[in-house]
Amino acid sequence: MVSKAVAKYVHALHLKKYRLRHGAFLVEGGKSVRELLSSGILTERLLITAEFNEKIHAELPASLPVDVVSEEELTRLGTLSTNNTALAIARLPEEKPLVPAAGQLLLALDEVRDPGNVGTLIRLADWYGLAGVICSDTCADPWAPKTVAATMGSFTRVPVWQRNLPEWLGSLAPDLPVYGADLHGENVHRLTLRPTGVLVMGSESHGLTPPVEACLTQRLHIPGRGQAESLNVAVSAAILLDNFYRNEIN
């Protein structure tokens, strides 16, 4: 069993205020932990089952504190319904300002409050090789355990910056394209888009907030033929991103 101090620390990192206070976050599950260990993000401590420890012991840095625990204890300490592999405490990476450059596309998220959606969107950014993801300060925390789990390891490769989104968009060069999903926008299938600028996605329930919407230079619409009221924000982003890159990726 881990000490009471370690257990208390792990449980504290379930909450954003303690993640910010300690400058640390949790990574759960074997795949995500392996991605963490092979990345440049510092791992502070590892809690691992004996079975999984046998599989990856050779990959572990000699200086890394490791606690071998039961599957039951690992699950009790973390947020997953079951965890038979590992849980790591990692240091929050230093935030680096994200500034759009020529030939680069950034993804911006406006009040996307579901951590699973935010994690999936970060994973999409990784798939398409985006320069990074800007999250409004009203988005789900990019470093919440559920968000990190949903990235499936992409949290180690995609720079994420959480800002006041209207202010950040307002600071960009006036000739930089800022795209946004909108039911009244142009049919995305009839456009020739190039991956430069910023693509802004709003919450599935409310769309873009008015201050963010005012920053758009072009509105994009995904036409549908059925009766569904809306698309999941991550599904919408995937369709839009594919249209940006359909002529770029072979």
Side-chain angles (χ1 to χ4, degrees):
M1 293 181 64
V2 297
S3 68
K4 288 183 179 179
V6 170
K8 182 179 179 181
Y9 184 29
V10 171
H11 279 128
L13 295 179
H14 291 205
L15 300 177
K16 181 177 182 177
K17 66 178 181 178
Y18 293 114
R19 289 193 290 272
L20 293 175
R21 181 179 300 176
H22 294 291
F25 68 105
L26 299 179
V27 179
E28 300 179 84
K31 174 178 170 46
S32 293
V33 167
R34 271 186 148 152
E35 293 271 14
L36 170 67
L37 292 170
S38 63
S39 76
I41 298 175
L42 179 64
T43 305
E44 184 178 303
R45 192 177 199 94
L46 181 64
L47 284 65
I48 191 169
T49 62
E51 182 179 2
F52 194 65
N53 187 41
E54 288 182 9
K55 292 180 180 179
I56 71 165
H57 184 73
E59 304 172 27
L60 303 181
S63 59
L64 177 64
V66 176
D67 296 291
V68 178
V69 298
S70 68
E71 179 180 339
E72 292 74 21
E73 184 174 11
L74 198 61
T75 301
R76 187 167 62 251
L77 288 168
T79 66
L80 300 178
S81 56
T82 59
N83 186 354
N84 61 0
T85 51
L87 177 154
I89 301 172
R91 304 302 301 170
L92 286 172
E94 181 181 352
E95 281 194 329
K96 297 179 181 179
L98 290 172
V99 181
Q104 287 187 336
L105 185 67
L106 289 169
L107 182 63
L109 310 182
D110 182 23
E111 292 198 350
V112 179
R113 289 178 173 158
D114 181 86
N117 281 336
V118 172
T120 302
L121 287 157
I122 292 170
R123 188 179 179 190
L124 272 172
D126 190 16
W127 178 261
Y128 283 99
L130 302 191
V133 176
I134 307 292
C135 293
S136 72
D137 48 16
T138 49
C139 278
D141 183 9
W143 303 108
K146 289 183 179 179
T147 310
V148 171
T151 72
M152 297 296 288
S154 294
F155 72 94
T156 63
R157 292 180 290 273
V158 179
V160 178
W161 205 27
Q162 196 154 23
R163 313 308 297 160
N164 179 304
L165 191 54
E167 286 184 7
W168 180 78
L169 290 170
S171 72
L172 302 178
D175 60 342
L176 188 81
V178 179
Y179 303 94
D182 189 288
L183 289 173
H184 305 291
E186 298 177 74
N187 184 335
V188 70
H189 297 147
R190 296 175 182 167
L191 300 173
T192 300
L193 300 169
R194 293 288 179 261
T196 296
V198 181
L199 172 62
V200 188
M201 302 300 301
S203 75
E204 184 177 339
S205 302
H206 306 292
L208 298 175
T209 58
V212 168
E213 194 173 10
C215 297
L216 301 183
T217 62
Q218 188 168 7
R219 300 163 192 263
L220 307 176
H221 172 55
I222 302 168
R225 300 180 61 186
Q227 301 300 313
E229 182 181 351
S230 64
L231 287 173
N232 171 273
V233 62
V235 172
S236 297
I239 294 170
L240 293 176
L241 287 171
D242 206 63
N243 278 275
F244 275 97
Y245 285 95
R246 65 187 175 191
N247 296 317
E248 304 287 328
I249 301 174
N250 297 320

